[in-house]
Amino acid sequence: MKSKILYLFVFMSAFSCRKESALEYEIAKVNTDVKIERFEKLFAKVTEEDFPNLKKEYPFMFSEKYLDSFWLAKKTDTLQIQLFDEVDKTFSNFDDTENEIELLFNHLKYYFLEFNPPRIITTTNDVDYRNRVIVTDTIAIIALDSYLGSEHEFYVYSNIQKFIRRNLSKEHIVVDLANEYAKKYIYHPNRKRLLDEMIYFGKLLYFKDVMLPFKTEAERIGYTQSELDWAITNENYIWRFFVSRELLFSTDSKLPRRFINPAPFSKFYLESIDSDSPGRLGQYIGWQIVRAYMDQNDVTLKDLLIKSTDDIFNNSKFKPRK
């Protein structure tokens, strides 16, 4: 009997792998053919005579409240030159990142036929890591000076916290890009309760599951592998904590700061656990609820993204890992 069960498990796993491989093969045929426009290189080399042409080609990169003289002076600023040099060293070869972006866009086009690949423009923005990716319907702007590596001196000497720095690397560019597209496609207007926030971010993370199968789970959520392992090991405890303290349906405005927003750790207010836990554990549990919902229901990705919190939660049959 055990051998039959094992055989069935192996067969189902192999079938699932073949099915996923066939799907990825179909998605690869979409071929969005991404082209990267390296604006920061053009800006670094532009002369006073050529500047009007650059401005004409990239008008959205130059705020009208500043005169041309401001931009030309900025180009020769010592800090700006250092930024150009560091970006040029880190991104002298952009092929791997370009390939990942194309894979993302292939998935977006496969699942959303109305998606039109935007112009992808790289730049620098004085290490404004909070705005490192900006996406519109026609343009995606990526600030490369926010992806120089977690231990880069720009970030260490600026006292950027370690939990933020660890995702300031080139490997995270496509994750941030997918994150911005997830926000555009998700409809989740009511976010008053902790559970609303959990399901919203669960949708966002599930979107990245679908769009970024070539990235690890840890990369998709922005954890280290050890942090993800901690969340998996303690999943049952986290869930029991939320349920026993009746936090799921609470509208307490402090809860997102404790369990949803970026932070070095989650705030259970228990000395034995807080220091070991990663931040955003509410997002992690929301992710598992949405995954359970998709496993239990015949629902398309598009349909999932507009489902309400209560619909997803009540029909997920979620049970934490023990």
Side-chain angles (χ1 to χ4, degrees):
M1 184 66 182
K2 287 183 179 179
S3 63
K4 287 182 179 180
I5 293 172
L6 179 60
Y7 173 79
L8 181 61
F9 175 77
V10 171
F11 174 79
M12 292 300 292
S13 298
F15 178 77
S16 176
C17 288
R18 285 200 299 272
K19 195 173 179 182
E20 289 174 12
S21 296
L23 174 61
E24 289 304 311
Y25 178 74
E26 288 301 310
I27 292 173
K29 291 195 292 188
V30 172
N31 190 21
T32 49
D33 193 23
V34 164
K35 296 288 189 297
I36 309 294
E37 300 176 44
R38 299 293 298 272
F39 172 80
E40 81 284 353
K41 285 179 174 281
L42 299 174
F43 184 54
K45 296 175 182 176
V46 73
T47 63
E48 186 173 353
E49 294 74 22
D50 292 335
F51 184 76
N53 293 329
L54 183 65
K55 192 175 179 183
K56 185 177 180 180
E57 188 174 355
Y58 296 92
F60 44 84
M61 301 297 288
F62 300 98
S63 172
E64 293 182 357
K65 67 181 180 180
Y66 297 114
L67 298 173
D68 291 358
S69 57
F70 167 84
W71 297 110
L72 290 167
K74 181 180 176 68
K75 184 185 84 79
T76 58
D77 177 76
T78 303
L79 176 59
Q80 194 64 47
I81 291 172
Q82 191 176 1
L83 283 174
F84 289 149
D85 290 344
E86 292 302 305
V87 166
D88 195 48
K89 279 194 297 185
T90 303
F91 294 96
S92 58
N93 186 322
F94 208 76
D95 290 350
D96 289 345
T97 304
E98 185 173 325
N99 289 337
E100 288 192 339
I101 294 173
E102 184 166 316
L103 283 171
L104 166 62
F105 284 1
N106 287 347
H107 282 77
L108 282 167
K109 186 68 175 177
Y110 182 84
Y111 287 98
F112 302 93
L113 294 177
E114 69 276 15
F115 171 74
N116 289 313
R119 292 174 66 184
I120 304 168
I121 299 161
T122 63
T123 188
T124 59
N125 70 347
D126 301 324
V127 194
D128 180 10
Y129 63 86
R130 293 180 182 86
N131 296 292
R132 52 191 186 262
V133 172
I134 296 172
V135 166
T136 72
D137 290 341
T138 57
I139 297 168
I141 299 174
I142 303 167
L144 297 183
D145 53 339
S146 289
Y147 295 102
L148 299 175
S150 60
E151 298 305 313
H152 195 278
E153 60 182 320
F154 287 171
Y155 313 147
V156 175
Y157 296 150
S158 297
N159 293 319
I160 297 174
Q161 290 179 278
K162 193 170 184 179
F163 76 93
I164 295 172
R165 291 200 326 255
R166 66 164 172 254
N167 291 324
L168 302 184
S169 63
K170 64 168 65 176
E171 292 77 17
H172 210 72
I173 288 176
V174 74
V175 179
D176 287 342
L177 198 54
N179 207 66
E180 293 306 306
Y181 278 105
K183 293 176 187 177
K184 289 171 69 67
Y185 285 109
I186 291 172
Y187 178 74
H188 207 84
N190 298 316
R191 293 168 60 184
K192 297 177 182 178
R193 305 167 297 179
L194 177 63
L195 184 62
D196 294 323
E197 289 292 309
M198 290 166 63
I199 297 298
Y200 170 77
F201 282 99
K203 286 182 180 181
L204 193 150
L205 286 159
Y206 187 83
F207 183 94
K208 288 191 280 190
D209 282 341
V210 175
M211 299 298 159
L212 304 174
F214 50 92
K215 286 293 186 180
T216 66
E217 290 187 342
E219 288 171 324
R220 289 176 218 152
I221 193 172
Y223 280 173
T224 63
Q225 187 57 51
S226 61
E227 286 176 330
L228 180 60
D229 291 342
W230 191 98
I232 292 170
T233 300
N234 292 280
E235 191 173 298
N236 187 54
Y237 172 81
I238 300 163
W239 180 246
R240 285 192 290 109
F241 181 90
F242 287 166
V243 171
S244 65
R245 286 162 176 78
E246 301 182 345
L247 302 183
L248 294 177
F249 300 100
S250 172
T251 58
D252 185 346
S253 62
K254 297 185 183 69
L255 290 175
R257 292 199 292 274
R258 292 172 61 188
F259 298 111
I260 299 292
N261 299 345
F265 54 86
S266 294
K267 299 177 180 66
F268 295 89
Y269 299 141
L270 297 170
E271 188 176 342
S272 61
I273 194 170
D274 277 13
S275 60
D276 294 327
S277 70
R280 299 179 289 118
L281 282 172
Q283 290 191 28
Y284 169 80
I285 295 293
W287 190 16
Q288 308 317 310
I289 294 172
V290 171
R291 283 175 162 179
Y293 173 80
M294 293 303 282
D295 285 343
Q296 294 291 332
N297 298 274
D298 185 16
V299 177
T300 67
L301 176 64
K302 276 190 171 183
D303 287 340
L304 165 70
L305 300 182
I306 61 173
K307 293 286 185 182
S308 69
T309 295
D310 292 338
D311 190 341
I312 292 172
F313 180 63
N314 292 335
N315 293 289
S316 68
K317 300 180 182 177
F318 172 69
K319 292 182 180 179
R321 279 174 276 207
K322 295 182 179 179

